[in-house]
Amino acid sequence: VPKKPDLFYRHSLFTQGGRGWPWVCASGAEGITSIRLSGIKPGSFNVRLYFIEPQHTTKAARRFDVKLQGKTVLKDLDIFAETGGKMKCAVREFSNVTLSNTCEVKLIARSGRTLLSGIELVSTGLALDEPE
């Protein structure tokens, strides 16, 4: 939600440092209020959320909360402040999240517009790589 968010794309060569896979962070959607992934086999997962600030060059220009499966997991996220600049990837990981057919992420704007670059689900127990 919305059905047609504002999408952005930058080539991954423009991402600088930060944590995460550059090709995931280089693209994203702004103005999202919720995303629901369906058809997920029930189980326990490590959930990674990918973020990048593609345009703002000051702290607090974009701040929002994030809920995962109805639970607030990030409060007042400021991507620029967390990464130290624009076009730097930030990954937040949540372990042992129980999913049963769906995974729902909600973004609640505090200032500016919400933004999300990617969602990664890895079954608990599988080896996790370290995207750096």
Side-chain angles (χ1 to χ4, degrees), residues 82-94:
E82 183 172 317
T83 63
K86 77 177 200 176
M87 292 308 294
K88 293 183 180 181
C89 191
V91 179
R92 299 304 286 276
E93 187 172 312
F94 308 96

Side-chain angles (χ1 to χ4, degrees), residues 12-25:
S12 61
L13 291 175
F14 294 111
T15 62
Q16 315 162 13
R19 180 170 184 254
W21 301 113
W23 55 90
V24 175
C25 283

Side-chain angles (χ1 to χ4, degrees), residues 10-105:
R10 308 289 193 280
H11 194 283
S12 61
L13 291 175
F14 294 111
T15 62
Q16 315 162 13
R19 180 170 184 254
W21 301 113
W23 55 90
V24 175
C25 283
S27 301
E30 292 183 274
I32 297 171
T33 56
S34 69
I35 295 175
R36 178 176 291 202
L37 305 174
S38 303
I40 298 168
K41 181 179 176 183
S44 179
F45 292 83
N46 294 313
V47 179
R48 289 178 175 161
L49 302 178
Y50 288 74
F51 305 94
I52 198 166
E53 178 51 69
Q55 66 188 35
H56 295 293
T57 57
T58 60
K59 293 179 183 179
R62 179 192 317 269
R63 293 182 6 255
F64 54 95
D65 297 342
V66 178
K67 288 187 175 190
L68 177 60
Q69 298 300 95
K71 178 183 174 190
T72 300
V73 293
L74 298 172
K75 286 195 70 69
D76 207 26
L77 177 63
D78 180 337
I79 303 165
F80 184 92
E82 183 172 317
T83 63
K86 77 177 200 176
M87 292 308 294
K88 293 183 180 181
C89 191
V91 179
R92 299 304 286 276
E93 187 172 312
F94 308 96
S95 301
N96 301 313
V97 177
T98 301
L99 301 178
S100 180
N101 192 45
T102 62
C103 177
E104 186 168 36
V105 177

